[in-house]
Amino acid sequence: MTNLRKMITSNLSKYLLVLPAIFLSCFFLQTTSASSAGVKITAVDSTKLAAFEGIYQNKANTFAYFNVKAVNNTLVAKQIDGNREIVLTRKSDLGFEMKDDDGDETIPVAFSKNDAGEIAQLMVGGRDAWVKVKEYIPVKEVKLTADQLKAFEGKYKFEEKDDAFLQITATADGLLLKQLWDGKEINFMAISDLDFINKENMFPLKFTKDQKGNVIKVLAFNRDMWDKVKE
């Protein structure tokens, strides 16, 4: 698998599942089919599966949402604004597990309740938090002019690795990001004058300008900082 976070930040924890062509940073990003095989529920599993159902928003990447439903004694999480889904297999009352993107390892998924005894959050791998919310709030596209989009064009270097570069180019509808180490490309639409997103990959970009209005940095997935190269 070739992806940005696996190639340039191998020291990160393996629970961070990543999308096959780019940065992968979210938990529900393995493509799989819901299994029809149920699991045996023991006496310790006192919380009904229906209590876990609902919409969950990633705490770090607020553009990422999944809808969790009970299916055949398992939980199936489906990406909103995307086609990915993953099966969560129950191991205890509030504990579940999921397969990693290669399918050869399992990752713990722990739900937690609020003071009222309602399911309020889940944690993937002990670190990646998803909060149960009342509704999905879709992002709205913002139309920028050709000159506005052209200001983002250029080559960007990853701050944590000197030989990792991205090329960003303006398109008729937004921006095109290209990984220069493997040629992978991904399109983004504008949601503000400095913020862009690819909804299918739940992948946000946030640009920074200096005092003169020049674009100097881009933050990917709210954690990876890239500096614009002066050419």
Side-chain angles (χ1 to χ4, degrees):
M1 177 182 297
T2 57
N3 59 71
L4 181 61
R5 294 202 59 79
K6 190 171 183 180
M7 292 179 64
I8 65 179
T9 57
S10 59
N11 59 319
L12 292 178
S13 299
K14 290 186 69 176
Y15 85 91
L16 290 174
L17 299 185
V18 289
L19 292 172
I22 196 81
F23 296 89
L24 311 185
S25 73
C26 305
F27 114 105
F28 285 128
L29 299 185
Q30 176 204 5
T31 303
T32 185
S33 298
S35 172
S36 61
V39 294
K40 184 177 180 180
I41 304 302
T42 65
V44 72
D45 302 325
S46 58
T47 303
K48 294 182 179 179
L49 281 177
F52 298 94
E53 293 187 328
I55 298 172
Y56 292 79
Q57 180 184 35
N58 188 260
K59 196 170 184 178
N61 179 8
T62 56
F63 299 107
Y65 289 85
F66 272 78
N67 191 8
V68 175
K69 289 187 176 296
V71 178
N72 296 325
N73 291 330
T74 65
L75 294 179
V76 177
K78 294 185 177 181
Q79 179 190 345
I80 299 178
D81 271 336
N83 297 320
R84 297 171 186 85
E85 65 179 36
I86 190 166
V87 175
L88 306 181
T89 303
R90 197 170 199 174
K91 306 302 291 184
S92 65
D93 186 35
L94 299 179
F96 291 74
E97 66 180 19
M98 57 182 279
K99 294 291 186 180
D100 68 358
D101 51 342
D102 296 322
D104 56 357
E105 294 185 18
T106 58
I107 299 170
V109 178
F111 288 83
S112 59
K113 296 182 179 181
N114 57 23
D115 292 341
E118 302 167 331
I119 300 295
Q121 181 175 290
L122 66 83
M123 191 77 68
V124 181
R127 297 183 182 182
D128 196 20
W130 293 73
V131 179
K132 193 173 184 180
V133 294
K134 293 183 178 180
E135 61 180 346
Y136 162 62
I137 301 176
V139 295
K140 295 182 179 180
E141 184 175 6
V142 173
K143 291 294 184 181
L144 301 183
T145 66
D147 288 340
Q148 286 177 304
L149 291 171
K150 191 172 181 61
F152 300 103
E153 289 189 330
K155 190 176 182 179
Y156 293 78
K157 183 181 76 68
F158 188 44
E159 287 190 350
E160 297 182 21
K161 191 172 177 64
D162 290 337
D163 59 352
F165 293 92
L166 303 173
Q167 187 73 39
I168 292 179
T169 307
T171 67
D173 301 317
L175 297 177
L176 176 68
L177 182 151
K178 182 176 183 179
Q179 300 175 164
L180 294 185
W181 61 90
D182 63 2
K184 302 285 187 177
E185 296 181 341
I186 186 168
N187 286 290
F188 291 82
M189 72 175 190
I191 55 176
S192 79
D193 56 350
L194 291 175
D195 296 281
F196 293 76
I197 191 170
N198 178 279
K199 292 197 295 182
E200 181 181 358
N201 293 341
M202 304 183 295
F203 179 12
L205 294 175
K206 185 175 185 64
F207 290 87
T208 299
K209 293 184 177 181
D210 61 17
Q211 293 181 345
K212 296 181 180 180
N214 300 311
V215 176
I216 58 173
K217 293 177 181 290
V218 61
L219 180 67
F221 270 124
N222 299 323
R223 65 161 63 94
D224 296 330
M225 187 65 75
W226 298 73
D227 298 320
K228 192 173 184 182
V229 178
K230 295 182 180 180
E231 297 179 306

